[in-house]
Amino acid sequence: MRIHLTIMLAAVSLLAISCCGGNGQKTAYPTAEWAALEQPLNFYLVNDTGRNGYYDQKPIAATMGQMAETIDIEFVVGAGDIHHFEGVRSVSDPLWMTNYELIYSHPDLMIPWYTVCGNHEYRGNTQAPVDYSKISARWNMPSKYYTFVKEEDGVTVRIVMVDTCPMIDKYREDTEKYGDASKEDYQAQLEWIDDVLSGADEDWVLVVGHHPIYAYTDKSESERTDLQKRLDTIIRKYGNVDMYLCGHIHTFQHISKGGIDYVVNSSGSLSRDDVQPIDGTVFCSNKSGYSLITASENELDLHMLDKDGNVLHTVTRTR
């Protein structure tokens, strides 16, 4: 009974925060501006969220719910690190409630979530996020890497979800902290990605991983160089990938290289202060937030949004 009461009280607290800002005042959301962004197919991109509701996680979750009352959001893409700091132990780990279920509790967020592992999931049991697909009606992670296609009003979008940790030597070699990384056959995954992209002929093709291929960061440069020589060569091979989407750095970054838009999505809970332009940078920001992606037959837009849903920058692809 005590456990049930605690969960009920937490849910009530979250409901109050979803209606009000951190100071108890009702947030004035830019709903008119949101309505103008809607296209036939609309979805969210989030990552680096799992902070048990602290920092900006609750306000961002509330904004996502409010926006979904205005825009018809079809699904959510989670680019890893849904669980800080040591991943999860099992499908019954309490972090599923405090990092996810009780945070993203708005009725309009009860939609499919498609996720991959980040480096923090790799500190725990990486099979648990896969198995949680059998527990939650909205959590979708059939394997460590997979692809799916969404269609709405004749608009098709293919999303290729990739598992970047095993592609990076740093994680495979640290068997004490990231025990599952060395167990994955990343060469087999690269062959699978090549096969999927070789036949991808949808209107728009997006590849989603946790780690950036290009980004400004003080994290180990080998993280990016490993992905540049392994993953990026395949992404560029067929000329049909529009965007590579990732997280990990906790800042917004839009980098354009070789006809592809490389997007680093900021943290959905706690951003970092330091971000600077690098070669190819179109935009960067240290704000926390999430992204709204909208697609029509002739245009694909990724809107970087702050915690109150204000558009900071838009990445646009046309054809």
Side-chain angles (χ1 to χ4, degrees), residues 156-160 197 200-207 240-244 300:
T156 57
V157 177
R158 176 176 291 278
I159 301 179
V160 185
L197 293 180
D201 60 356
E202 288 74 21
D203 295 327
W204 309 104
V205 178
L206 309 177
V207 178
N240 56 356
V241 173
D242 295 287
M243 297 183 186
Y244 175 75
L300 176 72

Side-chain angles (χ1 to χ4, degrees), residues 274-285:
D274 190 20
V275 63
Q276 301 174 25
I278 63 169
D279 179 45
T281 297
V282 179
F283 174 83
C284 58
S285 169

Side-chain angles (χ1 to χ4, degrees), residues 109-143:
L109 298 181
M110 300 299 161
I111 53 181
W113 287 58
Y114 298 92
T115 65
V116 289
C117 288
N119 53 295
H120 284 282
E121 277 87 4
Y122 263 91
R123 292 187 183 185
N125 175 3
T126 56
Q127 185 59 36
V130 176
D131 293 342
Y132 197 68
S133 302
K134 302 174 184 177
I135 305 298
S136 170
R138 58 176 170 163
W139 184 270
N140 292 269
M141 188 174 166
S143 60

Side-chain angles (χ1 to χ4, degrees), residues 232-248:
D232 199 35
T233 54
I234 300 173
I235 289 177
R236 293 171 177 269
K237 186 175 180 179
Y238 299 102
N240 56 356
V241 173
D242 295 287
M243 297 183 186
Y244 175 75
L245 313 177
C246 66
H248 188 53

Side-chain angles (χ1 to χ4, degrees), residues 46-270:
V46 299
N47 50 266
D48 298 275
T49 56
R51 302 275 181 165
N52 289 294
Y54 283 87
Y55 307 103
D56 287 332
Q57 189 181 10
K58 287 179 183 177
I60 290 170
T63 302
M64 290 169 60
Q66 290 296 316
M67 177 177 275
E69 292 184 9
T70 301
I71 298 174
D72 184 15
I73 304 298
E74 300 285 343
F75 57 96
V76 180
V77 171
D81 282 2
I82 307 301
H83 297 290
H84 286 82
F85 289 89
E86 304 299 325
V88 287
R89 305 295 104 182
S90 68
V91 295
S92 58
D93 194 311
L95 289 176
W96 286 108
M97 297 299 289
T98 59
N99 275 342
Y100 178 61
E101 298 290 358
L102 290 177
I103 305 296
Y104 304 99
S105 55
H106 191 285
D108 287 317
L109 298 181
M110 300 299 161
I111 53 181
W113 287 58
Y114 298 92
T115 65
V116 289
C117 288
N119 53 295
H120 284 282
E121 277 87 4
Y122 263 91
R123 292 187 183 185
N125 175 3
T126 56
Q127 185 59 36
V130 176
D131 293 342
Y132 197 68
S133 302
K134 302 174 184 177
I135 305 298
S136 170
R138 58 176 170 163
W139 184 270
N140 292 269
M141 188 174 166
S143 60
K144 299 287 180 61
Y145 53 91
Y146 58 98
T147 186
F148 62 96
V149 175
K150 293 290 184 176
E151 180 176 1
E152 190 69 31
D153 294 341
V155 180
T156 57
V157 177
R158 176 176 291 278
I159 301 179
V160 185
M161 307 289 286
V162 303
D163 187 18
T164 53
C165 274
M167 300 181 198
I168 299 172
D169 293 342
K170 164 185 170 180
Y171 297 107
R172 289 203 323 278
E173 293 168 359
D174 191 347
T175 56
E176 182 176 351
K177 185 180 288 187
Y178 305 101
D180 286 349
S182 62
K183 300 174 185 177
E184 299 294 326
D185 185 349
Y186 80 88
Q187 292 287 1
Q189 181 185 178
L190 293 175
E191 292 174 5
W192 174 85
I193 296 169
D194 188 291
D195 183 63
V196 170
L197 293 180
S198 70
D201 60 356
E202 288 74 21
D203 295 327
W204 309 104
V205 178
L206 309 177
V207 178
V208 179
H210 180 65
H211 293 84
I213 297 174
Y214 301 99
Y216 172 83
T217 175
D218 60 1
K219 292 180 180 293
S220 172
E221 185 179 357
S222 65
E223 293 185 6
R224 293 171 302 290
T225 55
D226 285 351
L227 291 182
Q228 287 166 19
K229 68 184 179 182
R230 291 167 181 161
L231 179 59
D232 199 35
T233 54
I234 300 173
I235 289 177
R236 293 171 177 269
K237 186 175 180 179
Y238 299 102
N240 56 356
V241 173
D242 295 287
M243 297 183 186
Y244 175 75
L245 313 177
C246 66
H248 188 53
I249 307 302
H250 296 217
T251 58
F252 282 119
Q253 298 184 52
H254 170 203
I255 297 163
S256 179
K257 282 184 176 288
I260 297 175
D261 289 298
Y262 296 86
V263 174
V264 181
N265 198 47
S266 187
S267 169
S269 58
L270 181 63

